[in-house]
Amino acid sequence: MKLVQALLLASSLVFTWSVQATIVEFRTSLGNFEVNLFDEITPKTVANFLQYVEEESYHNSVIHRLVPDFVVQGGGFAYSGELPLNAIPARAAVQNEPKLSNRKGTIAMAKLENRPNSATNQWFFNLNDNHAGQPQLDTQNGGFTVFGQISEQGMEILAAIAALPRFNLGAANSIPLRNYTNADAAAGKTVTAENLVLIESVVIVDARSNTAAGLNPVANTLIEQQPPQDNNSDNGGSLAWLVVGLAGILLVRRRRKRLV
């Protein structure tokens, strides 16, 4: 009996989904790459993301947060030609769908600390397998919803972003910048489009929901081992994501046009 239970547990750890996926293309200042969205597994999250895409909310947005060996985050700020960055308006939060595992190369929704169902417009790419250990994104804060997978070319671009130095732009206090140094920051050199990692646009390149041949996302089996959480629970986890609150918006809007 114990052998059977062990075999069942082992099989659950490597279980993968059969998926379908709309394809979107991220067009950035460091190159373009595609992301397959998991329409059938996380339908509410994908629909939420595609609404922002169709409304062109991510046009001229920026990668505003980098944590090396962890995540690259965007979707929260746009660049209008000068600083300060503008907070992208967010709609109502979407219901959490933590069905897939936060593995390297996946895209997931960012959200407020201790609020499992607070995701709106911000997302992040996993630079490593972040499902277990620390910070254990598959279970923390109700689990972070993975809703797509990046292309191989996209991983090369993410690696280039991850190699950039980080600076403080107020609410975006860990922003990767190109062609910008600590000496530039000390001298108060103005940050321009040439320094930001810009997302010029995110567009749908294949709207069919059956374009996921060869994709095998890993199921989130860890969340099943957690006790159920209330949708409005204050016990969701300890990781503070940079989803913009009122204080953050005020900080961004009041920023001077220089890096500090």
Side-chain angles (χ1 to χ4, degrees):
M1 183 64 178
K2 291 183 178 180
L3 177 59
V4 173
Q5 291 176 336
L7 290 173
L8 288 174
L9 176 61
S11 65
S12 69
L13 294 177
V14 296
F15 175 75
T16 57
W17 290 87
S18 174
V19 299
Q20 294 187 330
T22 297
I23 297 177
V24 294
E25 183 176 61
F26 283 67
R27 298 173 179 172
T28 83
S29 53
L30 290 179
N32 304 339
F33 59 88
E34 293 182 349
V35 173
N36 289 273
L37 305 179
F38 301 136
D39 306 65
E40 291 193 336
I41 302 173
T42 54
K44 295 178 181 178
T45 304
V46 170
N48 173 72
F49 177 79
L50 288 179
Q51 188 168 350
Y52 284 106
V53 169
E54 291 168 351
E55 293 173 353
E56 300 184 350
S57 297
Y58 298 134
H59 280 33
N60 296 316
S61 63
V62 302
I63 295 297
H64 69 266
R65 182 179 184 233
L66 163 65
V67 182
D69 299 318
F70 182 36
V71 297
V72 164
Q73 186 169 336
F77 298 96
Y79 180 68
S80 60
E82 61 180 8
L83 296 183
L85 299 173
N86 301 311
I88 295 174
R91 296 190 313 276
V94 64
Q95 182 178 339
N96 201 30
E97 298 175 299
K99 300 177 182 179
L100 297 174
S101 187
N102 281 267
R103 303 301 176 104
K104 183 177 181 178
T106 56
I107 183 173
M109 294 303 296
K111 52 188 175 179
L112 296 171
E113 183 179 7
N114 299 327
R115 294 179 59 185
N117 295 306
S118 61
T120 55
N121 55 359
Q122 293 196 33
W123 37 261
F124 62 90
F125 289 104
N126 283 297
L127 296 176
N128 268 319
D129 289 341
N130 295 321
H131 62 294
Q134 291 297 328
Q136 201 167 42
L137 298 189
D138 279 9
T139 57
Q140 185 185 138
N141 200 0
F144 286 81
T145 297
V146 167
F147 64 99
Q149 182 173 321
I150 197 170
S151 65
E152 183 176 346
Q153 180 182 4
M155 288 304 301
E156 296 176 0
I157 294 173
L158 286 187
I161 296 173
L164 293 172
R166 296 173 292 158
F167 296 88
N168 188 339
L169 278 182
N173 61 8
S174 186
I175 188 170
L177 294 179
R178 304 177 295 139
N179 306 313
Y180 202 88
T181 66
N182 288 329
D184 293 329
K189 183 179 178 181
T190 301
V191 172
T192 69
E194 299 301 317
N195 307 121
L196 298 166
V197 180
L198 285 172
I199 299 172
E200 297 158 5
S201 63
V202 181
V203 297
I204 299 172
V205 294
D206 194 333
R208 296 174 300 165
S209 60
N210 60 350
T211 56
L215 292 180
N216 291 297
V218 179
N220 180 358
T221 58
L222 296 177
I223 194 69
E224 299 171 0
Q225 303 170 24
Q226 300 296 306
Q229 296 188 30
D230 185 273
N231 286 346
N232 297 315
S233 172
D234 289 331
N235 299 313
S238 60
L239 182 62
W241 290 93
L242 292 179
V243 179
V244 183
L246 178 59
I249 294 173
L250 291 175
L251 274 173
V252 174
R253 289 180 176 173
R254 293 177 181 175
R255 289 288 307 135
R256 293 177 297 175
K257 298 177 183 178
R258 291 185 182 273
L259 184 69
V260 295

